[in-house]
Amino acid sequence: MGSNVKNILLISPYNSRKVGGIGTWSKSILEYFSSGTEFKIVFQNTTNPIRNNLPRTKIFRILVGIEDTIVVLIKLFFNLCFRDIDVVHYTSSASMALSKDRIIIFVAKQLFHKKFIIHWHFGRIPELALVRNSEYRKILKIIKKVDASIVLDNKSLYALQAESCQNIYCIPNPITDSVIQAAKNIDAVAIQKDRERGVVLFVGHVIRNKGIYELVTACAQCDLVKRLIVVGPYKQEDKSNLMLLAKIKGDSTWLDFRGELKREDVYDYYKKASIFCLPSYTEGFPYVILESMAFACPIVSTDVGAIPEMLSEQSGVVINPKDIHGLTFAIENLLHDKSQADSFGINAYKRVMSCYSVESIMTQFANLWRLL
């Protein structure tokens, strides 16, 4: 390996059998820089095989967190001792992981004197800045200890800059190559003609903070909704509760649970649905929004994380979280006014292809690594 190659220790989760958030981002990074000559990625996978995507009890999370910390530290010591690492690029979702984050930063910065980037993969920083709780204070302390911090949206960037934090960068997530390949021959105008009228699509974990209860209630109140397709892992308790909510329409046959599917199997749903809806309470930078944009699907989502920026320029409808009335109105309006829905879908397609390409986003990471 030549001396001009910079070794980046990427500490991030990735599970080839699962999709979503940080794991999808990790896959994009690894694929893009796999054949480069300027940077070599040394990957330290933080995925815990016993962790489930669905939420667990607080005690369970604490025990898994302790195990995670021990395993991550062992691997970190190995990589820093036996690999010629130049920069540590570490992903974090904050919350209960902040104590682990501080230990990892201490080891990398104080013991091994490595340049350190912390990449915040969550979208609650603006909300935390308002309440200024202990989690937010810990985040600010961590930012002062590292060489650079990355956030996913401009609201988070401005909130931290207001605290006089230095070396803060806003870099969004890119659309994945697999989606680009699947959507590259899409005619954003023509595809609108083939959409199934009255079909609403949800893709994600079927849990309360994804807004699924509000979505089922809103769709049940809207006569124009003929079917709500729910793609993603769920607990039987949630499915039963949602089926009961669905009976507001008279029966629950219109609510269609498809379970967890392979990512490529979801693409046809994006192509056919009248609306994609993600009414989450909190998000960072949801890949399902990027994917629905890539297939020119009209979108209704919430004013959380990076979503308002993703759907700017008339690329979708943004409502407040937990606002059933606003959600119902947005769905009704798009199903009633197909020309407006088509326009949103076409604008979304153009925006994702121009602003969130792999090439443009990865160039931003490369530029930051060069600086350190």
Side-chain angles (χ1 to χ4, degrees):
M1 208 183 314
S3 59
N4 60 329
V5 175
K6 208 164 194 176
N7 294 324
I8 311 297
L9 176 59
L10 176 64
I11 306 178
S12 186
Y14 172 60
N15 186 337
S16 60
R17 294 171 298 178
K18 300 289 183 180
V19 295
I22 308 179
T24 302
W25 174 85
S26 300
K27 184 174 184 290
S28 296
I29 286 279
L30 294 172
E31 289 177 347
Y32 185 83
F33 291 102
S34 61
S35 58
T37 57
E38 184 179 0
F39 301 102
K40 177 177 175 56
I41 305 296
V42 177
F43 183 48
Q44 180 175 323
N45 193 349
T46 58
T47 295
N48 189 316
I50 73 168
R51 184 191 293 136
N52 192 295
N53 275 337
L54 294 173
R56 297 286 185 164
T57 64
K58 185 174 181 179
I59 294 177
F60 176 86
R61 291 173 63 196
I62 291 173
L63 292 175
V64 171
I66 293 172
E67 181 197 26
D68 279 351
T69 302
I70 294 171
V71 172
V72 170
L73 284 173
I74 291 173
K75 292 181 179 179
L76 178 65
F77 270 99
F78 176 85
N79 283 321
L80 294 181
C81 287
F82 299 104
R83 306 286 184 90
D84 185 21
I85 301 300
D86 297 296
V87 178
V88 178
H89 190 129
Y90 175 79
T91 63
S92 173
S93 55
S95 189
M96 295 180 67
L98 287 171
S99 296
K100 176 181 68 176
D101 298 347
R102 294 173 70 175
I103 296 172
I104 290 167
I105 292 167
F106 175 82
V107 171
K109 289 283 296 173
Q110 302 301 317
L111 299 186
F112 288 89
H113 308 291
K114 301 298 181 181
K115 297 293 185 180
F116 199 101
I117 299 170
I118 190 159
H119 194 158
W120 301 108
H121 274 267
F122 73 108
R124 294 179 295 108
I125 289 175
E127 289 78 10
L128 294 177
L130 293 176
V131 298
R132 309 189 69 81
N133 60 4
S134 61
E135 181 182 7
Y136 185 63
R137 294 193 295 271
K138 289 176 182 177
I139 289 171
L140 293 179
K141 288 180 180 178
I142 286 174
I143 288 173
K144 292 178 181 179
K145 294 179 182 296
V146 299
D147 298 283
S149 297
I150 299 173
V151 295
L152 300 174
D153 61 281
N154 282 318
K155 284 184 180 178
S156 297
L157 175 69
Y158 301 149
L160 294 175
Q161 287 178 337
E163 302 284 351
S164 299
C165 292
Q166 302 296 314
N167 299 322
I168 311 294
Y169 301 85
C170 179
I171 305 179
N173 290 338
I175 191 168
T176 61
D177 276 336
S178 62
V179 175
I180 289 289
Q181 292 302 312
K184 66 179 180 180
N185 295 321
I186 291 293
D187 183 328
V189 176
I191 197 174
Q192 308 305 332
K193 300 175 184 178
D194 297 326
R195 298 197 178 278
E196 297 179 19
R197 298 301 299 273
V199 175
V200 178
L201 173 65
F202 170 92
V203 179
H205 295 131
V206 186
I207 54 178
R208 189 172 291 276
N209 68 8
K210 291 291 183 180
I212 187 64
Y213 281 80
E214 287 83 359
L215 179 57
V216 172
T217 302
C219 289
Q221 295 173 352
C222 181
D223 291 336
L224 294 176
V225 174
K226 305 305 179 185
R227 190 155 55 114
L228 170 59
I229 299 175
V230 178
V231 176
Y234 59 83
K235 288 182 177 179
Q236 188 58 46
E237 178 185 0
D238 285 310
K239 181 179 179 181
S240 299
N241 290 338
L242 293 167
M243 284 294 191
L244 287 175
L245 279 178
K247 289 184 178 179
I248 297 172
K249 261 190 190 304
D251 63 57
S252 59
T253 57
W254 60 275
L255 180 55
D256 187 357
F257 285 84
R258 296 299 173 94
E260 191 169 11
L261 302 176
K262 292 180 179 179
R263 179 54 64 199
E264 55 270 22
D265 293 336
V266 185
Y267 297 160
D268 282 339
Y269 290 99
Y270 290 124
K271 296 176 185 177
K272 295 294 185 181
S274 295
I275 300 172
F276 174 78
C277 198
L278 183 72
S280 296
Y281 301 172
T282 180
E283 287 287 349
F285 198 104
Y287 271 95
V288 289
I289 295 288
L290 286 181
E291 290 170 357
S292 53
M293 293 172 74
F295 293 101
C297 187
I299 301 167
V300 176
S301 195
T302 40
D303 184 12
V304 294
I307 292 173
E309 294 172 31
M310 300 167 76
L311 298 183
S312 63
E313 301 178 8
Q314 298 294 303
S315 299
V317 180
V318 177
I319 62 169
N320 293 323
K322 304 182 184 180
D323 181 4
I324 294 176
H325 175 75
L327 181 58
T328 305
F329 179 80
I331 292 171
E332 282 183 337
N333 188 53
L334 287 186
L335 290 178
H336 176 74
D337 190 346
K338 189 176 185 301
S339 63
Q340 184 182 55
D342 292 349
S343 176
F344 282 141
I346 294 165
N347 291 342
Y349 175 82
K350 292 177 180 177
R351 180 163 173 76
V352 76
M353 293 302 175
S354 63
C355 299
Y356 300 106
S357 70
V358 174
E359 185 70 32
S360 64
I361 301 302
M362 295 306 169
T363 297
Q364 295 179 60
F365 287 119
N367 289 337
L368 178 55
W369 294 340
R370 291 187 190 105
L371 287 174
L372 300 181

